[in-house]
Amino acid sequence: MSAVVTDHDHDHEHHDHKPSGIKRWFYTTNHKDIGTMYLVFALIMFFIGGAMAMVIRAELFQPGMQFVEPNFFNQMTTVHGLIMVFGAVMPAFTGLANWMIPMMIGAPDMALPRMNNWSFWILPFAFLILLISLFMPGGGPSFGWTFYAPLSTTYSGDSTALFVFSVHIMGISSIMGAINVIVTIFNLRAPGMTWMKMPLFVWTWLITAFLLIMVMPVLAGAVTMVLTDKYFGTSFFDAAGGGDPVLFQHIFWFFGHPEVYIMILPAFGIVSSIVPTFARKPLFGYASMVYATSSIALLSFLVWAHHMFTTGMPVAGALFFMYCTMLIAVPTGVKVFNWVATMWRGAMTFEVPMMFALAFIVLFTIGGFSGLMLAITPADFQYHDTYFVVAHFHYVLVTGAVFSIIAAAYYWLPKWTGHMYDEKLGQWHFWCSLISVNLLFFPMHFVGLAGMPRRIPDYALQFADFNAFISIGGFLFGASQLIFVWLLVKCARGGEKATAQVWEGAEGLEWEVPSPAPYHTFETPPVIK
């Protein structure tokens, strides 16, 4: 893909008007500013959610009750999950979408810039509401991030109303962000940028945006029913009033399963951008990657009850959900195969973005395999609600989603700041993260298979040694991310100047604008040959 650069591309120097100071950030409608705010917000939330994980691991470092009350422990597991999913991973991907999609498709900005500003600025308030609920009498939400009824209705504290309001605001933000992505990609592609020429990051985000629009209203419905059951005397989830607590799980997971694909599809797009650059080969099987992404999205609506095998389901239901779940492994396997085939006989180099992308491929696949194990209904009766499940979803969400976000940050940072990051520091960050993250999550498979239940602040003595290792891995992984923050600050402040292309082998429109990317790009659309 190459662009014919016209003379108009050099006009941007003349109208780089941006208000200075805090006003610039409050009022901005510029996709790059808004992308930056999303990314910074996600990083802050990553550390707040991480601090809660540190509380959890400190408590579990040794058997017995050490530091916190059981109810506070439950608040930590709940709010850690909510913040990492809705506050760290999703806003980080939205920030990457804002920054990169217009540049990748040759658009001057996002299609709906004022809505873009609003969809970001309601988020800090959503999380402020969620976090201050922890200081209410009786504490914050303590029913798990999945907020199963009746834990979230009959037995929950007064903070439930704040939790519901907070989730509503997050949902509104996500829906607006998704609409913006769809309208932008449909309407603002440069001439010649046909559907099958779009970078895979754009494709994966387009499909993710459709998933968001379809499932966020389902989450809104679920939290609203929780609200009315608790405060307004309805009985959607209360058998005494003719409701059904298992209905809650169906509604929640009908949102929840597509949601976990919302958190991984953009990661697939990132890895599909990075691997060809550092293998210096075009992506193997581009079309099959697009179709695989679409297949995953469609199938994600047919597997929700695999989270509920132990609720007592007709055999026909269990079989349907088991086979559909195993079927999703096929398009996912196509992707892994294509990444490996892209690297096959490539002139590979191992810069930091590539190292995180490679770690992603290997470790995400481990998470995928444990997912296949969990899909097998009779086996799941043993795995369900143990640390095996915690190991599974942290492999796909930490070494999957989070590693891809970190890889993306290293990959595009020179384009954003105009400076090369400190490669040595990046290598340190990678190796410290890689070793500690496996010390943290791999032993969880073993304690889970041996029967250690999730979300419990104490455990039987035989799990003590493994939990000590897991906690040490956790503390080291948390500390390793401080290296990343230092690298980001250092890179923003200065360093070796980046070229426009940044990476030898990088292809695409974003590598044809100067580094740092000008405040306004592609006011005259590029023409794609």
Side-chain angles (χ1 to χ4, degrees), residues 134-420:
L134 290 166
F135 298 98
M136 284 181 70
S142 59
F143 29 65
W145 86 273
T146 51
F147 59 101
Y148 278 17
L151 298 177
S152 55
T153 52
T154 313
Y155 301 107
S156 64
D158 293 336
S159 58
T160 308
L162 289 183
F163 154 77
V164 169
F165 187 37
S166 165
V167 170
H168 270 306
I169 301 171
M170 296 169 204
I172 292 166
S173 168
S174 285
I175 289 170
M176 288 196 299
I179 289 170
N180 216 341
V181 166
I182 291 170
V183 177
T184 303
I185 295 170
F186 269 73
N187 293 324
L188 297 185
R189 280 170 293 138
M193 173 69 70
T194 56
W195 288 109
M196 293 313 266
K197 277 190 188 163
M198 297 195 315
L200 257 174
F201 180 70
V202 178
W203 260 118
T204 54
W205 239 111
L206 179 64
I207 291 165
T208 300
F210 276 107
L211 284 179
L212 277 165
I213 284 181
M214 286 187 274
V215 303
M216 292 315 279
V218 179
L219 175 66
V223 290
T224 305
M225 287 186 265
V226 163
L227 186 79
T228 58
D229 266 19
K230 182 163 177 63
Y231 296 100
F232 300 103
T234 56
S235 1
F236 292 110
F237 310 130
D238 182 9
D244 180 1
V246 178
L247 173 66
F248 173 87
Q249 296 180 33
H250 281 289
I251 298 167
F252 177 83
W253 286 115
F254 190 78
F255 146 79
H257 203 83
E259 162 66 20
V260 301
Y261 287 99
I262 286 163
M263 291 190 285
I264 206 66
L265 291 181
F268 292 162
I270 289 164
V271 172
S272 303
S273 302
I274 292 174
V275 170
T277 296
F278 296 99
R280 288 160 183 81
K281 276 177 66 192
L283 185 74
F284 182 89
Y286 171 90
S288 68
M289 287 297 236
V290 173
Y291 297 129
T293 309
S294 311
S295 315
I296 289 171
L298 285 170
L299 286 167
S300 76
F301 285 101
L302 300 176
V303 296
W304 77 89
H306 66 209
H307 298 266
M308 303 167 56
F309 283 145
T310 56
T311 53
M313 202 185 301
V315 167
L319 283 173
F320 172 83
F321 286 108
M322 176 169 90
Y323 287 130
C324 282
T325 303
M326 299 181 90
L327 202 57
I328 287 204
V330 177
T332 314
V334 167
K335 287 180 169 294
V336 175
F337 172 80
N338 284 359
W339 292 322
V340 174
T342 303
M343 293 184 278
W344 179 249
R345 303 187 64 181
M348 283 173 71
T349 53
F350 299 94
E351 286 84 350
V352 181
M354 185 60 158
M355 299 206 313
F356 273 103
L358 288 170
F360 170 96
I361 293 169
V362 174
L363 299 173
F364 171 77
T365 303
I366 290 176
F369 279 136
S370 61
L372 268 176
M373 293 170 68
L374 288 157
I376 299 167
T377 309
D380 183 68
F381 272 66
Q382 293 302 319
Y383 309 142
H384 187 79
D385 250 338
T386 69
Y387 261 82
F388 189 81
V389 180
V390 180
H392 158 69
F393 68 73
H394 284 87
Y395 264 86
V396 292
L397 285 174
V398 181
T399 59
V402 173
F403 268 31
S404 79
I405 291 162
I406 294 170
Y410 280 108
Y411 186 54
W412 285 310
L413 201 58
K415 180 57 65 185
W416 298 338
T417 63
H419 304 123
M420 293 306 289

Side-chain angles (χ1 to χ4, degrees), residues 369-518:
F369 279 136
S370 61
L372 268 176
M373 293 170 68
L374 288 157
I376 299 167
T377 309
D380 183 68
F381 272 66
Q382 293 302 319
Y383 309 142
H384 187 79
D385 250 338
T386 69
Y387 261 82
F388 189 81
V389 180
V390 180
H392 158 69
F393 68 73
H394 284 87
Y395 264 86
V396 292
L397 285 174
V398 181
T399 59
V402 173
F403 268 31
S404 79
I405 291 162
I406 294 170
Y410 280 108
Y411 186 54
W412 285 310
L413 201 58
K415 180 57 65 185
W416 298 338
T417 63
H419 304 123
M420 293 306 289
Y421 60 83
D422 183 331
E423 184 75 18
K424 199 85 213 121
L425 218 50
Q427 303 258 356
W428 269 99
H429 175 221
F430 172 75
W431 288 109
C432 292
S433 296
L434 183 73
I435 294 162
S436 60
V437 84
N438 284 292
L439 179 61
L440 166 57
F441 295 123
F442 207 79
M444 287 184 184
H445 294 102
F446 303 134
V447 291
L449 290 175
M452 181 171 160
R454 316 166 48 176
R455 294 173 165 161
I456 308 286
D458 194 6
Y459 50 84
L461 292 175
Q462 69 264 33
F463 304 127
D465 291 354
F466 271 115
N467 272 285
F469 285 122
I470 292 168
S471 286
I472 290 165
F475 300 139
L476 290 173
F477 183 69
S480 304
Q481 304 326 302
L482 297 170
I483 305 173
F484 184 45
V485 174
W486 171 235
L487 179 141
L488 293 173
V489 171
K490 203 172 151 182
C491 185
R493 282 187 176 167
E496 181 195 336
K497 287 271 175 276
T499 60
Q501 194 186 6
V502 183
W503 309 108
E504 178 208 340
E507 280 186 23
L509 291 178
E510 77 263 39
W511 307 111
E512 305 201 1
V513 301
S515 304

Side-chain angles (χ1 to χ4, degrees), residues 1-6 9 103-106 190-191 193 507-513 522 524-529:
M1 183 194 332
S2 62
V4 176
V5 180
T6 62
D9 283 355
M103 292 207 295
M104 289 178 155
I105 63 174
M193 173 69 70
E507 280 186 23
L509 291 178
E510 77 263 39
W511 307 111
E512 305 201 1
V513 301
F522 299 126
T524 307
V527 179
I528 317 295
K529 280 190 212 147

Side-chain angles (χ1 to χ4, degrees), residues 69-87:
E69 293 293 316
N71 186 44
F72 185 72
F73 183 89
N74 291 350
Q75 290 171 51
M76 288 295 98
T77 53
T78 302
V79 182
H80 162 75
L82 288 167
I83 283 184
M84 288 312 206
V85 168
F86 296 110

